[in-house]
Amino acid sequence: MIDAMAGARRRVAGVAALAVMLLAASAPAVAKTLVFCSEGNPEALNPQIVTTTTGMNAGRPMFNNLVEFAKGTTTVEPALAESWTVSPDGVEYVFHLRAGVKFHSNAVFQPTRTMNADDVVFSLMRQWKEDHPFHNISGYSFDFFRDLGMPELLKSIEKVDDRTVRITLTRPEAPFLANLAMPFNVVLSAEYAERLLTIGRPDMLDTQPIGTGPFVFQGFQKDVTVRYRAFDDYWGGRQAIDTLVFSITPNPAVRLTKLKAGECHVMAFPNPADVPKIAEDPNLTLLSQEGLNVGYLAMNTSRPPFDDVRVRRAVSMAIDKAAIVAAVYQGAGTVAKNPIPPTLWSYNDAISDVRFDRAQAQRAMAEAGYPSGFDADLWYMPVSRPYNPNGKRIAEMIQSDLAPLGIRLRLETREWSEYRRELQAGTPALALYGWTGDNGDPDNFLNVLLGCTSARTGGNNIARWCDPTYDDLVNRAKRLPDRPAREALYRQAQEIFHDQAPWVPLAHSVVFMATRKGVKGFVIDPLGRHPFDGVDIVE
């Protein structure tokens, strides 16, 4: 009897254990949310209409390109295009599209087909043709598209069939494939655009984005968050992270506090002074990489007194760049002398930097007709960047350096999106800014930031500098397939830049990121991107 009762109890216990196991197997896993403490508000959510790293990174989770950079590198690899061919003369590119790629959906749109050539053609034509129904809907311009000379470069964009697109150029362009991998060339849904025209809401193309990327847009609250959820049907496989949140936190000290408290899992750009503390914290991981970047002071050469090269040279000589790097970058920066970083091919190391010489600067000011100086405004960045960790502090040091020349500076700033707009509009006389390379090619610095096309269109050439000889060298260089020949032209261009001084190059920096220990798969990126595909949280 006792044995029978014991056996019964064992059977009941076994059934109960089996039931628990079955329930556990059928219950969904605990949802994972990864919070990224970002450094500022994106100026928009569609990468076609942004130029800042902040905006590009906010759009990145939702979109794909024909080709993309392999994670953590500048190597171009297939994405929405499985393969491509280039004609021997370098002007015809034929892209063969991946099959079965699905688009996201939202409250007003349910896709009825997978991604095809119509979407690729729409996405490029929307930026290219001014009479396109989606060209002038957002109040933004396609600055990157214009700054890179794409309107003049493109000859035709054709749908060969549903899975084939042919792009024909007016001339060979060495960086073209890398430029297609840049954020402004994401692929949008042409079907979504048609739906938005039907309901009279074309603006939603940019404010409620639909893409093919690993995460679906959920909402944006300015100064607070951008939210995404994992896309179950992502062609690259569903992500381990269920929810991705960008927590907008402009102050780097607050970002670090949140990281330590577990309120975020990844943080952007800690203060250089906080780097040792992060490295020593057993709960955190410090990531670092030599930055493909430059921080600089731009002088508006389109109006007096900075249209006079003698004034620009005087300013260059009067700024103690070494003191700025020591005080602000705190061991994480080096003094800059060229508009491209020393880690980028074609860097001209033979150029001698402008020597800090206040007496010579005062003589140059007198020769230019300004012995008593002048008043000017200096705008400083409201967000921290690796190439500019503390805009206000740098501005104050420059203000102090230029005061002995009689240059009386008024310091100004704006909210980040407005700051960008005012710089592109040519408002400031002097402005602190910087750049992180987008594609690993010198053209991305020397042409985008200093070319005549960008100066004319109100793009990223915020110095409004246009030198025909310089511009000819840079444009000739990007049309050559031979890298040594391109390097020679770029080195000559850097000499002209040095002589004409439209900027004061300030610093190149090391880039730091930090994560919680449980974050796996996040890598620091040479192009300033924050890729969250393939990232997981492991307790």
Side-chain angles (χ1 to χ4, degrees):
M1 182 68 174
I2 295 174
D3 289 342
M5 291 178 63
R9 284 195 295 268
R10 284 195 297 271
R11 285 193 296 274
V12 171
V15 171
L18 178 60
V20 170
M21 290 171 64
L22 290 172
L23 283 170
S26 62
V30 175
K32 292 183 180 180
T33 297
L34 185 144
V35 180
F36 167 55
C37 278
S38 66
E39 73 283 2
N41 284 296
E43 67 268 43
L45 296 167
N46 179 356
Q48 292 182 323
I49 55 179
V50 304
T51 58
T52 69
T53 303
T54 306
M56 293 175 193
N57 280 319
R60 177 178 170 81
M62 301 177 286
F63 291 101
N64 293 115
N65 294 44
L66 285 172
V67 295
E68 295 176 358
F69 297 110
K71 199 171 181 179
T73 77
T74 58
T75 302
V76 174
E77 65 177 9
L80 295 182
E82 289 183 310
S83 63
W84 57 90
T85 59
V86 185
S87 63
D89 61 1
V91 298
E92 184 180 280
Y93 290 71
V94 178
F95 294 92
H96 304 283
L97 304 183
R98 191 178 300 275
V101 175
K102 294 183 178 181
F103 278 102
H104 306 160
S105 61
N106 62 19
V108 302
F109 173 68
Q110 296 289 327
T112 64
R113 61 167 177 80
T114 56
M115 183 272 304
N116 67 25
D118 292 326
D119 304 303
V120 177
V121 173
F122 168 82
S123 301
L124 292 170
M125 296 293 283
R126 184 256 174 127
Q127 299 184 79
W128 183 17
K129 297 299 184 180
E130 294 184 3
D131 60 352
H132 192 280
F134 280 86
H135 188 80
N136 295 306
I137 61 165
S138 63
Y140 290 90
S141 55
F142 304 100
D143 293 321
F144 248 129
F145 193 87
R146 295 185 307 168
D147 288 356
L148 288 171
M150 293 284 280
E152 296 76 33
L153 175 64
L154 292 171
K155 183 178 181 180
S156 64
I157 304 167
E158 305 165 90
K159 173 184 176 180
V160 179
D161 57 44
D162 275 355
R163 291 186 55 197
T164 310
V165 175
R166 180 189 295 114
I167 300 177
T168 306
L169 310 182
T170 58
R171 61 176 186 270
E173 182 92 345
F176 180 67
L177 200 61
N179 288 345
L180 284 181
M182 289 170 57
F184 75 95
N185 279 318
V186 295
V187 174
L188 311 179
S189 168
E191 188 184 21
Y192 180 45
E194 291 174 6
R195 170 64 177 157
L196 295 180
L197 286 179
T198 301
I199 65 174
R201 289 296 307 276
D203 58 293
M204 290 178 65
L205 189 73
D206 298 321
T207 60
Q208 300 288 323
I210 290 288
T212 61
F215 292 94
V216 179
F217 176 67
Q218 291 288 278
F220 170 41
Q221 186 177 355
K222 186 178 179 182
D223 299 322
V224 183
T225 57
V226 189
R227 300 184 66 87
Y228 318 82
R229 63 172 171 82
F231 183 32
D232 291 335
D233 295 321
Y234 178 50
W235 60 270
R238 192 193 188 281
Q239 301 301 300
I241 299 300
D242 299 286
T243 303
L244 175 64
V245 179
F246 280 30
S247 177
I248 298 165
T249 314
N251 188 307
V254 176
R255 291 200 294 272
L256 181 55
T257 299
K258 287 183 175 183
L259 186 72
K260 288 182 173 182
E263 295 177 30
C264 62
H265 302 90
V266 181
M267 74 162 286
F269 317 142
N271 276 323
D274 291 329
V275 165
K277 291 185 286 186
I278 295 171
E280 294 168 1
D281 192 319
N283 297 313
L284 306 180
T285 298
L286 177 69
L287 305 174
S288 66
Q289 187 174 78
E290 192 73 27
L292 194 70
N293 61 32
V294 61
Y296 60 88
L297 172 71
M299 293 173 269
N300 193 332
T301 64
S302 67
R303 64 188 201 208
F306 299 107
D307 58 341
D308 190 325
V309 68
R310 295 171 297 181
V311 172
R312 301 198 299 268
R313 288 173 183 161
V315 169
S316 298
M317 287 185 283
I319 294 176
D320 189 347
K321 296 192 290 187
I324 290 173
V325 169
V328 179
Y329 294 81
Q330 300 188 29
T334 58
V335 171
K337 63 180 180 180
N338 290 327
I340 66 174
T343 52
L344 188 59
W345 59 272
S346 81
Y347 179 81
N348 191 341
D349 199 32
I351 289 174
S352 297
D353 196 12
V354 174
R355 187 165 60 92
F356 174 54
D357 189 335
R358 191 163 288 147
Q360 181 62 30
Q362 289 172 328
R363 287 192 288 272
M365 285 283 288
E367 291 171 7
Y370 297 96
S372 302
F374 50 79
D375 296 320
D377 54 303
L378 168 59
W379 288 46
Y380 63 87
M381 295 170 57
V383 297
S384 62
R385 282 284 191 275
Y387 55 69
N388 191 321
N390 188 332
K392 185 177 182 181
R393 178 66 177 131
I394 294 175
E396 289 170 345
M397 294 183 74
I398 290 174
Q399 183 184 47
S400 177
D401 282 342
L402 298 186
L405 275 62
I407 299 177
R408 299 168 292 277
L409 296 181
R410 301 179 301 275
L411 303 188
E412 296 192 34
T413 192
R414 296 288 189 276
E415 187 273 330
W416 182 226
S417 296
E418 184 181 354
Y419 186 86
R420 284 283 303 119
R421 288 195 296 270
E422 294 292 346
L423 261 60
Q424 290 188 316
T427 301
L430 297 168
L432 288 169
Y433 201 51
W435 196 254
T436 297
D438 295 292
N439 61 10
D441 195 289
D443 180 77
N444 188 246
F445 287 82
L446 300 175
N447 182 28
V448 173
L449 304 181
L450 293 159
C452 289
T453 297
S454 181
R456 288 192 297 266
T457 60
N460 288 299
N461 186 343
I462 62 173
R464 293 292 194 275
W465 181 64
C466 176
D467 184 286
T469 305
Y470 171 95
D471 202 56
D472 178 64
L473 289 168
V474 170
N475 280 294
R476 283 165 51 201
K478 69 178 181 177
R479 296 170 190 173
L480 298 175
D482 180 60
R483 180 156 153 174
R486 294 183 72 200
E487 287 184 354
L489 295 176
Y490 286 141
R491 289 194 179 99
Q492 292 180 53
Q494 289 169 73
E495 291 172 1
I496 294 173
F497 167 88
H498 178 266
D499 181 64
Q500 293 300 307
W503 297 354
V504 180
L506 296 173
H508 310 291
S509 76
V510 175
V511 178
F512 294 105
M513 298 282 289
T515 73
R516 300 282 301 174
K517 282 291 185 185
V519 175
K520 306 298 178 185
F522 182 84
V523 298
I524 198 164
D525 189 272
L527 303 176
R529 302 166 301 164
H530 305 321
F532 289 101
D533 46 312
V535 177
D536 197 1
I537 303 172
V538 180
E539 293 300 331

